[in-house]
Amino acid sequence: MLFRSDLSLAEARLREISDEIFREQRELERFVSREREIEQDQNRLIAFIEGASRELRQMDSELDSLRRSQSGLERELNEARREERSYRTVVERQTAKVAALKRDYDQLAQIVQSHESTVAQLKTQISSIEQTISRLESQIRQASQSISNKEEKLKDYQTLQRTIISDIR
């Protein structure tokens, strides 16, 4: 009679352990799924950063080129103004040239301002994305640690289950 009672208790305990193992496995599967999602998000963000970085480098190159063009146009504008003072006889022709150069200069200045604003926005976005990546990496580390802990606990439960089963036999 006592043996049946012990056997019933052992079977009940075994069911409890089996239920706990099942719950732990489900939780482990949720952690693994979340880790995959985080990793996919991180990969998308990295791809976005790489694209934004390429675009930023291209814009920096364009900006440098525009600045060189702007400097050249500034030199030409100054030369045209000197010529205007020196050659009063050709005032009309020189005035038109200066006006055209000024328009080009203003257009380039607007383009430079626009690119500088875009570059600043991209840098802000990159900074935000880097912070997000850092946060996601931290979450991945935490999830990995939790998974390791759960796997250890699962191994302990499986060992206990085998011990109980062998004790029952």
Side-chain angles (χ1 to χ4, degrees), residues 29-45:
E29 289 169 1
R30 283 193 301 272
F31 280 128
V32 168
S33 175
R34 178 62 183 141
E35 183 177 0
R36 283 188 199 120
E37 291 172 7
I38 289 171
E39 199 171 301
Q40 289 171 351
D41 288 345
Q42 183 181 14
N43 289 338
R44 282 192 293 273
L45 290 172

Side-chain angles (χ1 to χ4, degrees), residues 51-90:
S53 294
R54 280 191 300 275
E55 189 176 329
L56 182 61
R57 284 191 298 275
Q58 183 181 11
M59 287 182 157
D60 279 341
S61 175
E62 290 175 13
L63 189 60
D64 289 341
S65 175
L66 290 172
R67 284 184 178 142
R68 284 191 297 276
S69 295
Q70 181 181 2
S71 296
L73 288 173
E74 285 175 348
R75 283 191 297 277
E76 287 182 36
L77 180 61
N78 290 333
E79 182 181 319
R81 286 182 177 158
R82 280 192 303 277
E83 287 177 8
E84 181 182 20
R85 286 189 298 272
S86 300
Y87 301 105
R88 299 279 180 206
T89 58
V90 288

